[in-house]
Amino acid sequence: MAETDFKISMRDVHKQFGPKVVLDGFNLDIAKGESVVVIGGSGVGKSVMLKCLLGLLTPESGAITIDGENIIGISTGQRDRINHQIGMLFQMAALFDSQSVWENVAFGLMARGTSKSDARDIAVAKLALVGLGSEVIDLFPDSLSGGMKKRVGLARAIATDPEILFFDEPTTGLDPIMGDIINDLIVHCVEETGATTLTITHDMQSARKIADKIAMIYNGKIVWMGPTGDIDQSGNDIVTQFIHGRIVGPFQATAQL
């Protein structure tokens, strides 16, 4: 497939901070409607990859395209137009403490000019999609459990019906049962919206459940990418060590940093 055939494409992307190289010839292609999970250890560049896609960081070199349009070096107005396509679930939900649940969900809608009444109605519908009813809409984040905050964050991510969804460690801080509930909700929401989805995580249970394809980042590059069902037969020693949580193996030097 050509670069223009992908919803998201990163080609030969390099990003470093001083002498520390984080992305070193990074390549990733995601087709429209595809759910891709990028796995890897802490500090290997997963979040830097997302920040480059969101325009929060600018690579030193390489190409990043969304819908075939180069997004490196574009104007603020163009960046805003691109980001209007994107919904984001942040690692710790990142809710606004001073706003109620429905106001958190409706934040992006009202920022784009949707009336308060219409935004509230949409927020209530999106909250219902993630299993939260009218009893929570006027609560504030400090009244919510960790799992409920994640649900609210997910409702906010899908509130504007985005074409692209980014999930940053969606199960971090949750117990295994609640983590699996969030995974199920992500799968359901992606199916409902038809969005192209990119998730970063080190949680293999989550990756196996929500991904069409899994990619492994190591030393600033994707070292393996394939269908989720193929990962146990990847033939890659780094991938095998990571997914089985083994101490000994080629991943060891990075794990000790």
Side-chain angles (χ1 to χ4, degrees):
M1 296 174 72
E3 186 173 321
T4 54
D5 294 328
F6 294 102
K7 186 71 174 179
I8 298 170
S9 182
M10 303 179 74
R11 299 287 175 88
D12 196 28
V13 173
H14 291 76
K15 181 62 187 176
Q16 64 186 81
F17 300 92
K20 181 173 176 57
V21 176
V22 180
L23 301 180
D24 188 17
F26 185 88
N27 295 291
L28 182 68
D29 294 315
I30 306 176
K32 182 178 181 180
E34 196 169 49
S35 177
V36 171
V37 172
V38 175
I39 60 173
S42 300
V44 298
K46 302 188 301 296
S47 293
V48 170
M49 171 197 70
L50 271 189
K51 289 176 181 178
C52 287
L53 284 167
L54 289 165
L56 300 175
L57 293 173
T58 301
E60 281 74 46
S61 62
I64 302 176
T65 61
I66 293 178
D67 282 332
E69 179 180 353
N70 176 45
I71 64 169
I72 297 178
I74 59 177
S75 68
T76 301
Q78 290 173 310
R79 183 71 250 184
D80 288 343
R81 175 177 53 79
I82 293 291
N83 281 354
H84 280 176
Q85 300 182 48
I86 300 171
M88 176 87 184
L89 174 60
F90 296 92
Q91 185 170 343
M92 302 306 293
L95 302 180
F96 301 114
D97 291 337
S98 61
Q99 295 188 339
S100 66
V101 164
W102 82 261
E103 288 171 323
N104 267 279
V105 175
F107 179 82
L109 292 163
M110 290 192 289
R112 299 177 196 186
T114 304
S115 71
K116 187 173 183 178
S117 175
D118 288 345
R120 182 184 172 96
D121 289 343
I122 293 170
V124 170
K126 299 302 183 183
L127 285 163
L129 193 60
V130 300
L132 293 175
S134 57
E135 70 277 3
V136 306
I137 61 176
D138 292 315
L139 298 179
F140 286 83
D142 62 1
S143 302
L144 306 179
S145 66
M148 291 175 74
K149 288 178 181 179
K150 288 278 189 176
R151 290 182 187 225
V152 175
L154 180 55
R156 181 175 62 185
I158 64 173
T160 59
D161 295 322
E163 296 179 20
I164 297 169
L165 286 169
F166 291 154
F167 298 130
D168 182 0
E169 300 282 2
T171 58
T172 292
L174 302 178
D175 63 69
I177 294 173
M178 181 52 66
D180 203 41
I181 290 171
I182 294 299
N183 289 333
D184 284 339
L185 286 171
I186 288 173
V187 171
H188 177 61
C189 290
V190 169
E191 289 174 348
E192 286 285 319
T193 63
T196 302
T197 307
L198 174 61
T199 304
I200 59 174
T201 188
H202 58 266
D203 180 347
M204 284 308 304
Q205 181 178 344
S206 180
R208 291 177 189 276
K209 176 159 279 191
I210 68 180
D212 298 319
K213 291 181 180 176
I214 297 176
M216 171 89 188
I217 181 173
Y218 181 73
N219 281 349
K221 297 181 176 67
I222 295 295
V223 295
W224 182 86
M225 182 172 181
T228 302
D230 291 351
I231 194 165
D232 289 308
Q233 294 81 38
S234 69
N236 185 296
D237 291 341
I238 295 169
V239 174
T240 299
Q241 181 189 352
F242 182 83
I243 66 174
H244 293 293
R246 295 170 182 162
I247 297 174
V248 177
F251 202 79
Q252 187 173 10
T254 300
Q256 291 175 345
L257 290 178

